[in-house]
Amino acid sequence: MVCTMKRETGVDLGRLFSPRSIAVAGASSSPGKPGRLVLENLKGSTARLYAVHPRHREVLGVPAFPDVAALPEVVDLLVVAVGAVQTVPIVRAARERGVPFVIALAGGFAEAGAEGCALQDELVRLLESVESTASRAPTRLLGPNTLGVQVPGSGLDTIFVEHATEALTPGGVAVISQSGSVAVEALGAAARHRFPLRAFAGLGNAIDLKSAEFIDFFSRDGETGTICVYLEHLGEGRPLLRAARDASRRLPVFFLKAGRTAAGAAAAASHTGRLAGSDRVVDGALRQFGIQRVRDDEALLDAARAVTFARIPRGNRVAIITPAGGYGVMGMDYIEATAGVGALQPAVLGDSTKKELARVCLPFAAIANPVDLTAGVDDESFDRAVRILLRDPGVDILLIMAFLAPAGLSEGLIGRIGRAVSESERSVLVFCRSGERTEEYCRAFTDAGVAAYDSLSRTIEAARVLVTRGEIEGKNGARGSAGELARTPVNRPGDFLATWLPQFSSGDGRQPTEADTKALLGAYGIAVPRSLLLSPENAPDPDSLHFATIPAPWAVKVVSPRILHKTEAGAVRLGVTRENLGEILRDLRARFPEEDILVEEMIRDISVEMIAGALRDPDLGPSLMLGAGGTLAELYRDVTFRLVPASPGDIGEMMEELALSPLLRGYRGIVADREALRECLLALSGLAEAMGDRLAELDVNPLVYAGDRWIALDAKVVLAPS
Amino acid sequence: MVCTMKRETGVDLGRLFSPRSIAVAGASSSPGKPGRLVLENLKGSTARLYAVHPRHREVLGVPAFPDVAALPEVVDLLVVAVGAVQTVPIVRAARERGVPFVIALAGGFAEAGAEGCALQDELVRLLESVESTASRAPTRLLGPNTLGVQVPGSGLDTIFVEHATEALTPGGVAVISQSGSVAVEALGAAARHRFPLRAFAGLGNAIDLKSAEFIDFFSRDGETGTICVYLEHLGEGRPLLRAARDASRRLPVFFLKAGRTAAGAAAAASHTGRLAGSDRVVDGALRQFGIQRVRDDEALLDAARAVTFARIPRGNRVAIITPAGGYGVMGMDYIEATAGVGALQPAVLGDSTKKELARVCLPFAAIANPVDLTAGVDDESFDRAVRILLRDPGVDILLIMAFLAPAGLSEGLIGRIGRAVSESERSVLVFCRSGERTEEYCRAFTDAGVAAYDSLSRTIEAARVLVTRGEIEGKNGARGSAGELARTPVNRPGDFLATWLPQFSSGDGRQPTEADTKALLGAYGIAVPRSLLLSPENAPDPDSLHFATIPAPWAVKVVSPRILHKTEAGAVRLGVTRENLGEILRDLRARFPEEDILVEEMIRDISVEMIAGALRDPDLGPSLMLGAGGTLAELYRDVTFRLVPASPGDIGEMMEELALSPLLRGYRGIVADREALRECLLALSGLAEAMGDRLAELDVNPLVYAGDRWIALDAKVVLAPS
């Protein structure tokens, strides 16, 4: 069901989150009604508050007026807490009165079938049509089908189900969520940790105000330090990513994108398509745009607390200090097991650090990383040891294990650590455990301005978040354009494509063959084996062929849109010599009388097999892939994606992300030209961009390094209908 | 520093955990002294309690006696709470009195340098020497340097630091820990979840009582349901694994082995050695012996709660039911991302299940997996939907997301779910969230007999634990001998080894060459390429060689213990033909005048490249490796280990564990003989066993499938000094 969405327009959302006046339509005194819950919430607000009620002069002590037109002022915000059908005329009235912001709480719109969809369309039309009169400022609508907004401290809270209120403290984390229930549960969990919330915004059906605008607003409002976004769909596409990238240049941006398994991956025709399953395109795109991805709400909130309370480190070297040696070892196990984005490494303590530590630690303390203070430690020496480690330039992140069970340790240690951290430039995380008092102590650390977690694995994850953010900020500093979609400096022979594509536009659904695809790649500067194509009609007698320009041995392949897996169909013969060429051509011709036959030079001295490709993601558009190639490509899934056009820097990151990246840096004497591979990928990126909507999937598998160049040994493109 | 350990003897530990009488040596009334803390703890015990004090007649109201000899009875348990030096004579007195169990709390023994080590030796000698008189039953000692034992409910508790007491409920989980501080923190964390503890035992320096005896005891005491072991070293070696395997046949056994990074892996001479880093040998051995490994204490306690409260499922098909759709999607994301041991898969709901669900759910509920009840659900329909899913034979594990924020849900749902679960045979886990009340509700679920977690990722991990346990129990049922070290039915040409090994025993440190290694493999029935070895002294003129029995082309390699990486040294030439053989041999001879040269047949039509190997783990002895081979073996680390001798079943599991396992089942037309590979591995296992202490490392890389057999293309053995 396609429901219309109002077009986006830029607007300052300040009055939505800091309204001077609010009216509640559907205000009610009946217990359990949303209109009552909302009104009760908002009575704590600092804004002037009005109720809209057809009969009453006041509701719960709030002055009431019969309709929006009758309100004594044009309120900044109208909260509509009535059913779907009644919502429409009230929004119309708000628009006519010139109310700048409306929150439509009711469900029963597009999410609820055909009738609801019609109602939603009506809502969209009235927002647009009235707006087009241009006589008044536009009315912006949040929802419908939303819990609305919450701003701790100011009393702005339209959430009409049981939820955390008091426990969320005013702070710098903005939460934008496509799902109300996820946000309620997540913020409820967050409240246990004295979570510093700037504001929550529930998008609901998002017919007007969408993620991108909220991201943009929070990134510039001067009050937000971190943006967390929960998404179930990426339908906003690249504009959303661009808004998030721009925000990421100023502050950390985290996306929790649920629904990681890309539908239809199993049905894809190409390796690239199948390898894009589990939404690796999204993974790659988010990295490209400087957005950090997390796996669940716990991770989202943990990440937000990490960047809120800990400094962003310059590197990934972690030192651990602990009064319990076993936990130090477990922590180091985790650190050494990290790989890929945000990988950590153990810090190597400086000699002077070790000498100083030896002076303040007990005789049997372990002066190494992890620093094991032993259970005999007291607050004073723990504090001094922490301060020594905070001065070591070889430590990027200090992980303090704060267990207060040892007799010499007291709650006073929390304040001491807080002071030491505040006086240092170093990044610090605390793993805190203390039986029944764990939560209390974690909160005390928060109050002392230190990020504390009660789980070792989550503390390590927080360290990875910090390191990743540091990498993003480093890239922003270094090239000033993290995630910028560069214009690829590649020769784009548009003329070739202009004649090539129409061959496959006749509507008969004919797809390019391997030979067609290789001709296209060749035109884009990607080397392919020298070859001769023998068509069924005009092929000369094989025995009379000399293949003078192509040295033996040869690869002989039947190329046909009707054969999907050539090797398995027995349509490929390798290592064909002058002696057996005639026989093999006759055999293949007999078995495949109507297909073209490709005679190619055999490429020898292959040192590395990669796979490269491109596909069109339904939400994010053309995307580029690079990975470990050959037969095992789909077993190891050592692949990575970026959106097209990819910059040289993006492609460099793709090469680094692969498990086989050492191969591209000269592993065990294997030589492969990184720069030439980058050129190949830039060419593919340019090709994918030039193909526009016609690109469905493009596979080069394998793309091999042989001798001194990268060559596309096999290739296939799948076109979308023109 | 090598400190002696008392030899192991079997004994019933019943009196240690249920003593009828206890004496505390070093009992004290001074605040903060261990002797006071222990006495105070034990005053809550049901046992008769005595103090040992040189002067007082009573301490804290407990009758005191001047020494052990003066105690009015031979107590079941003596707790020694004095310093290291004073501990020795008290243990001697206990031994002389015939006290069956002593716990020596004091540190200051082997962990504290040379003096302590001498004290520990003295302790060991006195335990052994007095025992050897055989006039009395042996005295068994726990410690020294331990927190001793804790048994909730009975008041037995010798832990002399701040720790959880009340909150740990009597139950079925036995915790055995090498580290006191880890146990204290872990049990403190566990106490928040009403953790059902059978008993805690801290091993300390373990000079007498060790992990294996505790595991054996708890597995048979009729009170224990689950055994959790925290280890920092595996010095007990195979006897420990055997005890754990025997226990695992009766109940779940979890090991948390800290220190996963094997020291010295980087210095290993072989692929096998380097690939064994990150203690993959331990991973493989634990699987082989039916022991489940976890990564940290949180995971250990989560796992224990899962098997305590949830039934063991027969399969891995998980259904999710949730009132918040977004969490259902996140849960399914996690399930689909699982791989390897304990991998989960989404359950496919039966048609009748769907029909029944449609009757009890709201119109907009999603009747699929995950079942999204929507926030409009009430207790009654939630309960009914749970019961419907519990009847679906296609569901092995039901994951219930219990968020009580929706207006229609109440705390009563917890009891309803508890009753539904207790009336079902199905495995159930709960992911529970409810803001500030989350912990309270999780405890209520525990009281209702349901395993509940407040983190989605940890709930999923608990499901994996259950599935893995189910697999272990299935294996126990199927072959009755999970982890049994089978005698391998392989022909063991001991005579060959008896003449082969002494060649490398002369003390000159000479190591076998590739040719030597291949000769050994050949004798053990592993195919190697046909070859001719040309030694520098007696080689015929290359030009006169005909290699009549070995068809061209050939691989020509310099074999020498002085060349570690042949290819990189330019000492390998492949595809050598009759035309260029003479030239190549002359070139190699000129560059390597003193080395042997191996002329081998080139193996063609290679479909699969594996790596196989063996090594001696310092704690666990000879171990077998199988993995993805070739150049990339060390990049992908797709390898798995088992202890030698490995059974055919073990090798089957090794093949299944590899990411490339589909290759061995006929992937994309690639054929490789699984049974023949199993035979190869059995032969290697037999060889590794036969080599005994001489085996250091053995590499077969690659082991290729070509034509119709597995062939060792390259191989190297590294011997330990004889």
Side-chain angles (χ1 to χ4, degrees):
Chain A
M1 197 166 313
V2 178
C3 284
T4 50
M5 293 281 175
K6 188 171 163 300
R7 68 180 170 77
E8 274 176 47
T9 51
V11 73
D12 176 15
L13 304 178
R15 289 276 82 86
L16 173 59
F17 292 103
S18 306
R20 292 160 302 188
S21 52
I22 309 173
V24 178
S28 166
S29 55
S30 308
K33 285 256 187 187
R36 171 170 183 146
L37 294 167
V38 171
L39 196 66
E40 277 181 340
N41 288 345
L42 292 175
K43 280 175 72 179
S45 158
T46 51
R48 290 184 295 280
L49 186 61
Y50 308 101
V52 176
H53 193 283
R55 294 175 308 280
H56 298 162
R57 300 293 300 275
E58 68 163 49
V59 182
L60 300 177
V62 175
F65 301 85
D67 51 38
V68 173
L71 287 168
E73 63 176 309
V74 178
V75 291
D76 284 341
L77 172 63
L78 173 69
V79 182
V80 185
V82 298
V85 174
Q86 303 99 300
T87 293
V88 178
I90 293 175
V91 172
R92 181 176 293 116
R95 179 64 200 94
E96 285 166 358
R97 188 80 198 270
V99 174
F101 290 102
V102 172
I103 300 176
L105 302 176
F109 288 91
E111 81 286 1
E115 257 175 77
C117 202
L119 276 178
Q120 183 163 316
D121 284 348
E122 204 178 331
L123 215 49
V124 170
R125 273 195 306 275
L126 82 85
L127 284 172
E128 286 188 334
S129 63
V130 185
E131 188 182 30
S132 68
T133 65
S135 60
R136 297 191 189 86
T139 290
R140 300 305 307 272
L141 185 136
L142 179 60
N145 188 30
T146 179
L147 293 175
V149 298
Q150 185 183 14
V151 180
S154 84
L156 179 62
D157 182 357
T158 69
I159 301 179
F160 56 91
V161 300
E162 188 188 317
H163 66 292
T165 47
E166 300 305 309
L168 289 165
T169 56
V173 184
V175 175
I176 303 162
S177 177
Q178 266 186 3
S179 158
S181 56
V182 166
V184 164
E185 298 300 342
L187 292 176
R192 295 164 66 190
H193 302 290
R194 217 165 272 188
F195 191 78
L197 186 69
R198 156 71 178 104
F200 156 75
L203 297 171
N205 293 4
I207 63 168
D208 179 16
L209 287 167
K210 297 188 181 59
S211 315
E213 280 179 290
F214 285 103
I215 291 171
D216 185 57
F217 170 73
F218 286 124
S219 76
R220 299 167 191 275
D221 72 351
E223 297 184 48
T224 304
T226 304
I227 297 175
C228 293
V229 185
Y230 172 82
L231 294 170
E232 297 182 351
H233 315 286
L234 275 177
E236 285 184 60
R238 293 194 182 197
L240 168 59
L241 296 189
R242 281 191 213 108
R245 176 197 56 209
D246 292 346
S248 167
R249 292 193 178 130
R250 288 186 286 275
L251 40 74
V253 179
F254 299 102
F255 271 31
L256 168 55
K257 163 72 177 65
R260 295 179 71 95
T261 310
S270 68
H271 293 278
T272 305
R274 285 188 293 273
L275 289 167
S278 308
D279 74 356
R280 297 223 186 168
V281 176
V282 175
D283 276 341
L286 294 184
R287 278 186 212 156
Q288 189 174 15
F289 283 74
I291 305 162
Q292 293 178 252
R293 186 172 193 178
V294 294
R295 285 186 69 165
D296 62 19
D297 61 329
E298 185 175 52
L300 185 69
L301 302 169
D302 281 352
R305 288 167 60 229
V307 297
T308 299
F309 293 109
R311 296 175 204 278
I312 305 302
R314 289 198 197 148
N316 66 350
R317 300 164 302 173
V318 184
I320 294 177
I321 183 166
T322 176
Y327 283 97
V329 176
M330 282 185 252
M332 219 38 90
D333 286 346
Y334 270 114
I335 287 169
E336 299 196 350
T338 57
V341 176
L344 308 174
Q345 60 173 324
V348 177
L349 303 187
D351 287 338
S352 64
T353 300
K354 288 187 189 169
K355 274 183 209 146
E356 288 185 70
L357 284 173
R359 276 199 292 272
V360 306
C361 291
L362 291 165
F364 298 119
I367 309 298
N369 188 13
V371 179
D372 178 6
L373 298 168
T374 78
V377 69
D378 61 19
D379 290 352
E380 174 69 23
S381 58
F382 200 132
D383 185 11
R384 290 172 68 187
V386 163
R387 286 170 183 270
I388 291 165
L389 288 167
L390 287 175
R391 285 195 297 270
D392 188 322
V395 176
D396 298 311
I397 300 178
L398 180 60
L399 196 170
I400 302 174
M401 297 187 167
F403 312 127
L404 302 188
L409 298 182
S410 77
E411 291 177 43
L413 182 62
I414 299 173
R416 282 172 178 265
I417 289 175
R419 284 188 294 280
V421 170
S422 70
E423 291 161 18
S424 160
E425 289 298 310
R426 211 68 73 194
S427 183
V428 176
L429 293 169
V430 165
F431 167 40
C432 172
R433 278 276 183 77
S434 221
E436 300 274 1
R437 306 189 65 181
T438 299
E439 239 172 64
E440 176 192 337
Y441 289 165
C442 282
R443 284 183 194 169
F445 272 111
T446 304
D447 291 341
V450 180
Y453 301 85
D454 66 353
S455 148
L456 178 54
S457 60
R458 287 167 50 214
T459 314
I460 297 292
E461 214 42 57
R464 298 190 65 160
V465 164
L466 292 173
V467 167
T468 306
R469 178 62 197 168
E471 288 169 1
I472 291 168
E473 293 188 357
K475 274 191 289 189
N476 285 340
R479 48 184 228 208
S481 60
E484 190 65 72
L485 288 181
R487 295 284 104 186
T488 54
V490 73
N491 174 38
R492 260 184 245 127
D495 288 349
F496 185 90
L497 199 62
T499 56
W500 187 90
L501 266 179
Q503 302 175 72
F504 311 102
S505 308
S506 63
D508 64 356
R510 188 169 80 86
Q511 289 286 351
T513 64
E514 176 181 347
D516 296 325
T517 304
K518 283 179 169 171
L520 181 62
L521 293 178
Y524 273 75
I526 297 167
V528 297
R530 282 173 291 178
S531 68
L532 195 70
L533 189 67
L534 311 176
S535 62
E537 309 81 34
N538 54 11
D541 174 17
D543 286 336
S544 74
L545 285 169
H546 296 291
F547 300 103
T549 61
I550 309 175
W554 301 288
V556 180
K557 312 172 182 177
V558 181
V559 294
S560 161
R562 285 172 288 275
I563 303 177
L564 214 60
H565 296 295
K566 285 190 288 283
T567 306
E568 288 152 53
V572 176
R573 297 293 296 269
L574 302 177
V576 176
T577 60
R578 287 182 191 284
E579 289 73 40
N580 59 4
L581 174 65
E583 178 195 336
I584 283 167
L585 284 178
R586 275 187 295 271
D587 168 60
L588 289 175
R589 176 58 67 230
R591 287 167 50 219
F592 303 98
E594 297 181 5
E595 315 299 346
D596 289 343
I597 294 177
L598 190 67
V599 180
E600 281 190 336
E601 75 178 308
M602 284 283 288
I603 303 300
R604 305 184 196 223
D605 299 323
I606 292 171
S607 57
V608 178
E609 283 191 66
M610 308 289 291
I611 180 171
L615 58 73
R616 171 166 292 273
D617 180 87
D619 292 322
L620 302 177
S623 311
L624 186 67
M625 185 189 80
L626 178 67
T631 318
L632 304 188
E634 289 182 32
L635 289 181
Y636 284 108
R637 299 190 158 266
D638 184 19
V639 296
T640 177
F641 285 82
R642 288 295 184 276
L643 299 193
V644 161
S647 71
D650 292 331
I651 293 168
E653 284 184 8
M654 293 174 84
M655 293 193 274
E656 286 304 313
E657 279 170 21
L658 298 176
L660 61 53
S661 68
L663 272 190
L664 301 173
R665 292 192 299 261
Y667 173 81
R668 297 185 159 252
I670 293 168
V671 175
D673 187 332
R674 278 173 71 84
E675 285 313 309
L677 181 59
R678 198 193 304 263
E679 290 303 316
C680 270
L681 270 286
L682 283 171
L684 274 183
S685 173
L687 172 57
E689 195 181 12
M691 288 176 72
D693 290 342
R694 292 304 305 277
L695 172 71
E697 301 170 29
L698 165 64
D699 249 0
V700 182
N701 185 28
L703 175 67
V704 303
Y705 194 71
D708 59 354
R709 59 192 182 142
W710 292 94
I711 307 177
L713 280 203
D714 197 356
K716 173 163 62 179
V717 69
V718 180
L719 295 177
S722 56
Chain B
M1 196 166 311
V2 178
C3 283
T4 50
M5 292 281 176
K6 189 171 164 299
R7 68 182 170 75
E8 274 176 48
T9 50
V11 73
D12 176 13
L13 303 180
R15 288 278 81 87
L16 173 58
F17 291 103
S18 306
R20 291 159 303 189
S21 53
I22 309 173
V24 178
S28 167
S29 55
S30 308
K33 284 256 186 187
R36 173 172 182 144
L37 294 166
V38 171
L39 197 66
E40 276 182 340
N41 288 345
L42 292 175
K43 281 175 73 179
S45 157
T46 51
R48 292 183 295 279
L49 186 62
Y50 308 101
V52 176
H53 193 284
R55 295 175 307 279
H56 297 162
R57 299 295 299 276
E58 69 165 47
V59 182
L60 300 178
V62 175
F65 300 87
D67 53 37
V68 173
L71 287 168
E73 64 175 309
V74 178
V75 291
D76 283 341
L77 172 62
L78 174 68
V79 181
V80 185
V82 298
V85 175
Q86 304 97 302
T87 294
V88 178
I90 294 175
V91 172
R92 182 177 292 115
R95 180 63 199 95
E96 284 166 359
R97 189 81 198 270
V99 174
F101 290 102
V102 173
I103 300 176
L105 303 176
F109 288 91
E111 82 285 3
E115 256 176 77
C117 202
L119 276 178
Q120 184 163 314
D121 284 348
E122 204 179 330
L123 215 49
V124 169
R125 274 195 306 275
L126 84 86
L127 285 172
E128 285 188 335
S129 63
V130 186
E131 187 184 27
S132 69
T133 65
S135 62
R136 296 192 190 87
T139 290
R140 300 305 308 273
L141 185 135
L142 178 60
N145 188 29
T146 179
L147 293 174
V149 298
Q150 184 184 14
V151 180
S154 84
L156 179 63
D157 182 356
T158 69
I159 301 179
F160 55 92
V161 299
E162 189 188 317
H163 66 293
T165 47
E166 300 304 311
L168 289 165
T169 55
V173 183
V175 175
I176 303 162
S177 177
Q178 266 185 4
S179 157
S181 56
V182 167
V184 164
E185 297 302 341
L187 292 175
R192 296 164 65 190
H193 303 290
R194 216 164 273 184
F195 192 78
L197 186 70
R198 155 71 178 105
F200 157 74
L203 297 171
N205 292 3
I207 64 168
D208 180 15
L209 287 167
K210 296 186 183 61
S211 315
E213 280 179 289
F214 286 102
I215 291 170
D216 185 58
F217 170 74
F218 285 124
S219 77
R220 299 167 192 275
D221 72 350
E223 296 183 48
T224 305
T226 303
I227 296 175
C228 292
V229 185
Y230 172 82
L231 294 169
E232 297 182 351
H233 313 287
L234 275 177
E236 285 183 61
R238 293 196 182 197
L240 168 59
L241 296 190
R242 283 191 211 107
R245 176 196 57 210
D246 292 346
S248 167
R249 294 193 177 129
R250 288 185 287 275
L251 39 75
V253 179
F254 299 101
F255 272 29
L256 168 56
K257 163 71 178 66
R260 295 178 71 97
T261 310
S270 67
H271 293 279
T272 305
R274 285 188 293 274
L275 290 166
S278 307
D279 76 353
R280 296 225 186 167
V281 176
V282 175
D283 274 343
L286 295 184
R287 278 186 210 156
Q288 189 173 16
F289 283 76
I291 304 162
Q292 292 177 255
R293 187 171 193 177
V294 294
R295 284 186 71 167
D296 63 19
D297 60 328
E298 186 176 51
L300 186 68
L301 301 169
D302 281 353
R305 289 168 59 229
V307 297
T308 299
F309 292 109
R311 297 175 203 278
I312 305 302
R314 290 197 197 149
N316 66 349
R317 299 165 302 172
V318 184
I320 293 178
I321 182 166
T322 176
Y327 282 98
V329 176
M330 281 185 252
M332 217 41 88
D333 286 346
Y334 270 115
I335 286 168
E336 298 195 352
T338 59
V341 176
L344 308 174
Q345 59 172 323
V348 177
L349 303 187
D351 288 338
S352 65
T353 300
K354 288 186 189 170
K355 273 184 210 146
E356 288 185 69
L357 283 174
R359 276 199 291 272
V360 306
C361 290
L362 291 165
F364 297 120
I367 309 298
N369 187 15
V371 179
D372 178 6
L373 298 167
T374 78
V377 68
D378 61 19
D379 289 352
E380 174 69 23
S381 58
F382 200 133
D383 184 12
R384 289 172 70 186
V386 164
R387 286 171 183 270
I388 290 164
L389 287 166
L390 288 175
R391 285 195 297 269
D392 190 321
V395 176
D396 298 311
I397 299 178
L398 179 60
L399 197 171
I400 301 173
M401 296 186 168
F403 312 128
L404 302 189
L409 299 182
S410 75
E411 291 178 45
L413 181 63
I414 299 173
R416 283 172 179 265
I417 289 176
R419 284 188 294 279
V421 171
S422 70
E423 291 162 18
S424 160
E425 290 297 310
R426 210 70 72 194
S427 184
V428 176
L429 293 169
V430 165
F431 167 39
C432 172
R433 278 276 183 77
S434 223
E436 300 273 1
R437 305 189 65 181
T438 299
E439 239 172 66
E440 174 192 337
Y441 289 165
C442 282
R443 284 185 194 166
F445 272 112
T446 304
D447 291 341
V450 180
Y453 302 85
D454 64 355
S455 148
L456 178 54
S457 60
R458 288 166 50 214
T459 314
I460 297 291
E461 214 41 59
R464 297 191 65 160
V465 163
L466 292 173
V467 166
T468 306
R469 178 64 195 167
E471 287 170 2
I472 292 169
E473 292 188 358
K475 275 191 288 189
N476 285 340
R479 48 184 228 208
S481 59
E484 190 64 73
L485 288 182
R487 294 284 104 186
T488 52
V490 73
N491 173 37
R492 261 186 243 124
D495 288 350
F496 185 90
L497 199 63
T499 57
W500 187 89
L501 267 179
Q503 302 174 72
F504 311 102
S505 308
S506 63
D508 64 354
R510 187 169 81 85
Q511 289 285 352
T513 63
E514 175 181 346
D516 297 324
T517 304
K518 282 178 168 172
L520 181 62
L521 293 177
Y524 273 75
I526 297 168
V528 296
R530 282 174 291 177
S531 67
L532 196 70
L533 190 68
L534 310 177
S535 63
E537 308 82 34
N538 54 11
D541 173 17
D543 286 335
S544 74
L545 285 170
H546 296 292
F547 301 102
T549 61
I550 310 175
W554 301 287
V556 180
K557 311 173 185 178
V558 180
V559 294
S560 161
R562 285 172 289 276
I563 304 176
L564 214 62
H565 296 294
K566 285 191 288 284
T567 306
E568 289 153 53
V572 175
R573 298 293 296 268
L574 302 177
V576 177
T577 60
R578 285 182 194 285
E579 289 73 39
N580 60 3
L581 175 66
E583 179 196 334
I584 283 168
L585 283 179
R586 275 187 295 271
D587 169 60
L588 290 175
R589 177 55 69 228
R591 289 166 49 217
F592 303 97
E594 298 181 6
E595 316 298 344
D596 289 344
I597 294 176
L598 190 66
V599 180
E600 282 189 335
E601 75 179 310
M602 284 282 287
I603 303 300
R604 304 184 196 222
D605 299 323
I606 292 171
S607 57
V608 179
E609 283 191 63
M610 308 288 293
I611 180 171
L615 58 73
R616 171 165 293 273
D617 180 87
D619 292 322
L620 302 177
S623 312
L624 185 68
M625 185 189 78
L626 178 68
T631 319
L632 303 188
E634 288 182 34
L635 290 182
Y636 284 109
R637 300 190 160 265
D638 184 19
V639 296
T640 178
F641 285 83
R642 288 294 186 276
L643 298 192
V644 161
S647 70
D650 292 331
I651 294 168
E653 284 184 7
M654 293 173 84
M655 293 193 274
E656 286 304 314
E657 279 170 22
L658 299 176
L660 62 52
S661 67
L663 272 190
L664 302 172
R665 292 191 299 261
Y667 172 82
R668 297 185 159 252
I670 293 167
V671 176
D673 187 332
R674 279 172 70 85
E675 285 312 309
L677 180 59
R678 198 194 304 264
E679 290 303 316
C680 270
L681 269 287
L682 283 171
L684 274 183
S685 174
L687 171 58
E689 195 180 12
M691 288 176 73
D693 290 342
R694 293 304 304 279
L695 172 72
E697 300 170 32
L698 166 64
D699 250 359
V700 182
N701 185 29
L703 175 66
V704 303
Y705 194 72
D708 58 353
R709 59 191 183 144
W710 291 94
I711 307 178
L713 278 205
D714 196 356
K716 173 162 63 178
V717 70
V718 180
L719 295 177
S722 57

